[in-house]
């Protein structure tokens, strides 16, 4: 992949999220508050499918947004977890339901990769994003008594081929995390991967000692880190950070302290939002979009994001759809360039970034 292009795209979106420009101007392109919509909606409760297991980043972000959207819409939103095939199972389920605005999709980064990986024919083109709520910087974690106490230790083990157990993988967290490191270390042997169905499951696998290491979003393992049950070897945020732990402050090491050339790519990881099928009635979409934006802007959601170390983004409408498109090109070509798939994104008409 072309690192400079990735840098520019990531820097652009993170600047938008951190400056809050999306949440500040998204309401201005919608209809005036109080204006009567021509369509009568919603007239009953909604459902939301989260295509990963409970407790992961997609689940946490979507459930928090759904709770705030309920206040705007005046109806309940029943959230159901439907993991499988790196989000393809739940994503296809929503696509196969009526496109009437009553079934929402918890919309994760994996929409950018499931086609090139042969897991689904669905892509960003099949969806209209209500909001992309947060970025989820990747972390690589181990048990505190692991023989791998630093990122350098883990890299040395991969070079020696001595990782005796698999590395747990949450969707594409591997390719967005450990895979980035393997690009810097071509002499490493790629460890076996165990699909986990979600970042929380990946973290739990590491806690139980079922795997040597887990790749997941820091928010998905943060409580295990605070309690001392997991140790972070590296974090792919914008800098090293310090968090409060049960026994005092915990320093979270930054990947760029080992690989300074990666700084232009940071923060690096996934993103999570909410979407509906692209052919949903525009008036219904707009009602949902306004509710999702207000949910994102709510004090409850912003506090949640800060406490869980998610990075707020707040992209909505065409801006969000453009982001899903650009990251589809980036992630799919990364998978292809690193040999994780034999299907070239060029097959879909997706240019190399």
């Amino acid at each position: 992949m072309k690192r400079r292009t990735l840098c520019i795209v990531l820097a652009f979106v993170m600047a938008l999220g951190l400056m809050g420009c999306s949440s500040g101007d998204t309401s201005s392109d919608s209809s005036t508050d109080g204006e009567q919509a021509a369509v009568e909606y919603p007239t009953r409760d909604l459902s939301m499918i989260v295509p990963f297991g409970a407790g992961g980043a997609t689940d946490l972000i979507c459930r928090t947004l759904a709770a705030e959207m309920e206040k705007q819409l005046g109806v309940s939103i029943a959230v159901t977890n439907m993991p499988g095939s790196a989000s393809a199972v739940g994503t296809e389920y929503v696509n196969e339901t009526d496109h009437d605005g009553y079934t929402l999709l918890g919309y994760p980064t994996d929409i950018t990769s499931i086609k090139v990986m042969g897991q689904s024919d669905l892509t960003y083109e099949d969806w209209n994003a209500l909001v992309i709520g947060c970025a989820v910087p990747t972390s690589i974690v181990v048990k505190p008594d692991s023989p791998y106490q630093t990122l350098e230790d883990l890299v040395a083990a991969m070079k020696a081929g001595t990782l005796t157990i698999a590395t747990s993988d949450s969707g594409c967290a591997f390719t967005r995390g450990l895979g980035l490191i393997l690009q810097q270390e071509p002499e490493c042997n790629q460890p076996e991967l165990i699909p986990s169905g979600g970042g929380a499951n990946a973290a739990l696998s590491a806690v139980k000692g079922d795997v040597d290491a887990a790749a997941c979003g820091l928010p998905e393992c943060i409580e295990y880190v605070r309690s001392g049950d997991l140790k972070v070897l590296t974090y792919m945020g914008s800098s090293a950070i310090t968090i409060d732990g049960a026994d005092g402050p915990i320093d979270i090491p930054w990947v760029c302290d080992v690989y300074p050339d990666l700084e232009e790519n940071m923060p690096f990881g996934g993103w999570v939002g909410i979407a509906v099928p692209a052919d949903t009635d525009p008036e219904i979409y707009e009602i949902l979009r306004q509710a999702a934006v207000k949910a994102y802007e709510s004090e409850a959601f912003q506090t949640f994001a800060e406490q869980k170390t998610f990075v707020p983004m707040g992209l909505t409408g065409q801006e969000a759809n453009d982001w899903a498109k650009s990251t589809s090109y980036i992630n799919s070509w990364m998978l292809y360039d690193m040999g994780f798939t034999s299907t070239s994104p060029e097959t879909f008409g997706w240019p190399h970034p």
Side-chain angles (χ1 to χ4, degrees):
M1 68 178 284
K2 295 183 179 179
R3 185 178 301 162
R4 177 63 57 184
T5 301
L6 177 60
C7 164
I8 292 171
V9 176
L10 285 172
F12 170 73
V13 72
M14 294 317 302
L16 288 176
L18 294 175
M19 290 188 298
C21 67
S22 296
S23 61
D25 61 15
T26 51
S27 59
S28 63
D29 63 358
S30 60
S31 57
T32 303
D33 288 346
E35 182 177 325
Q36 183 66 40
V39 63
E40 187 178 358
Y41 173 89
T43 60
R44 65 177 190 272
D45 291 343
L46 280 62
S47 64
M48 180 187 294
I49 301 301
V50 172
F52 282 111
T58 306
D59 183 61
L60 293 172
I61 291 170
C62 290
R63 286 181 183 273
T64 306
L65 285 171
E68 293 302 307
M69 287 179 67
E70 288 178 336
K71 300 174 184 178
Q72 303 298 323
L73 296 171
V75 296
S76 296
I77 301 177
V79 180
T80 301
N81 297 95
M82 195 175 292
S85 296
S87 83
V89 171
T91 300
E92 292 200 351
Y93 175 86
V94 177
N95 185 62
E96 291 167 3
T97 63
D98 291 336
H99 296 184
D100 56 7
Y102 285 94
T103 305
L104 313 180
L105 174 66
Y107 194 44
T109 321
D110 302 79
I111 193 63
T112 67
S113 57
I114 54 178
K115 184 165 185 175
V116 76
M117 294 298 291
Q119 295 156 321
S120 174
D121 285 332
L122 297 174
T123 73
Y124 68 90
E125 295 176 294
D126 297 295
W127 303 96
N128 201 356
L130 305 176
V131 70
I132 293 179
C134 294
V136 189
T138 296
S139 62
I140 298 175
V141 295
V142 297
K143 286 176 63 69
D145 60 356
S146 167
Y148 316 116
Q149 290 295 300
T150 65
L151 177 57
E152 293 93 332
D153 291 341
L154 192 69
V155 167
M158 288 192 288
K159 286 182 177 180
T162 56
L163 286 182
T164 56
I165 312 175
T167 299
S168 189
D169 171 38
S170 167
C172 282
F174 172 79
T175 54
R176 295 194 301 266
L178 196 56
L180 190 65
I181 293 170
L182 290 179
Q183 286 185 315
Q184 303 295 307
E185 298 284 0
E187 296 179 5
C188 285
N189 296 293
Q190 179 182 314
E192 181 186 355
L193 303 181
I194 298 177
S196 63
N201 293 339
L204 182 58
S205 294
V207 171
K208 294 165 62 178
D210 293 337
V211 295
D212 284 323
C216 59
L218 180 60
E220 297 169 315
C221 63
I222 191 74
E223 298 308 323
Y224 291 128
V225 177
R226 293 187 196 279
S227 66
D229 293 306
L230 283 179
K231 175 183 177 68
V232 180
L233 296 186
T234 194
Y235 170 62
M236 298 185 181
S238 299
S239 66
I241 63 174
T242 300
I243 65 170
D244 293 328
D247 298 321
I250 299 173
D251 294 327
I252 306 296
W254 192 29
V255 67
C256 297
D257 290 338
V258 178
Y259 301 107
D261 287 349
L262 291 179
E263 184 170 358
E264 62 184 9
N265 293 337
M266 297 296 120
F268 196 78
W271 51 260
V272 177
I274 300 174
V276 293
D279 59 355
T280 300
D281 184 294
E283 290 184 278
I284 290 176
Y285 167 79
E286 183 59 21
I287 292 170
L288 287 168
R289 191 193 70 80
Q290 290 189 46
V293 169
K294 290 179 180 178
Y296 168 82
E297 292 173 341
S298 68
E299 182 179 355
F301 184 80
Q302 292 297 315
T303 299
F304 152 82
E306 180 179 1
Q307 291 176 343
K308 291 292 186 179
T309 67
F310 290 116
V311 179
M313 292 177 69
L315 305 179
T316 187
Q318 191 57 47
E319 193 174 39
N321 292 332
D322 288 345
W323 174 243
K325 176 180 178 179
S326 65
T327 53
S328 290
Y329 294 174
I330 291 168
N331 290 345
S332 63
W333 276 102
M334 175 183 283
L335 288 164
Y336 179 71
D337 289 343
M338 293 182 67
F340 291 111
T341 178
S342 60
T343 301
S344 171
E346 197 171 27
T347 305
F348 318 136
W350 293 359
H352 200 300

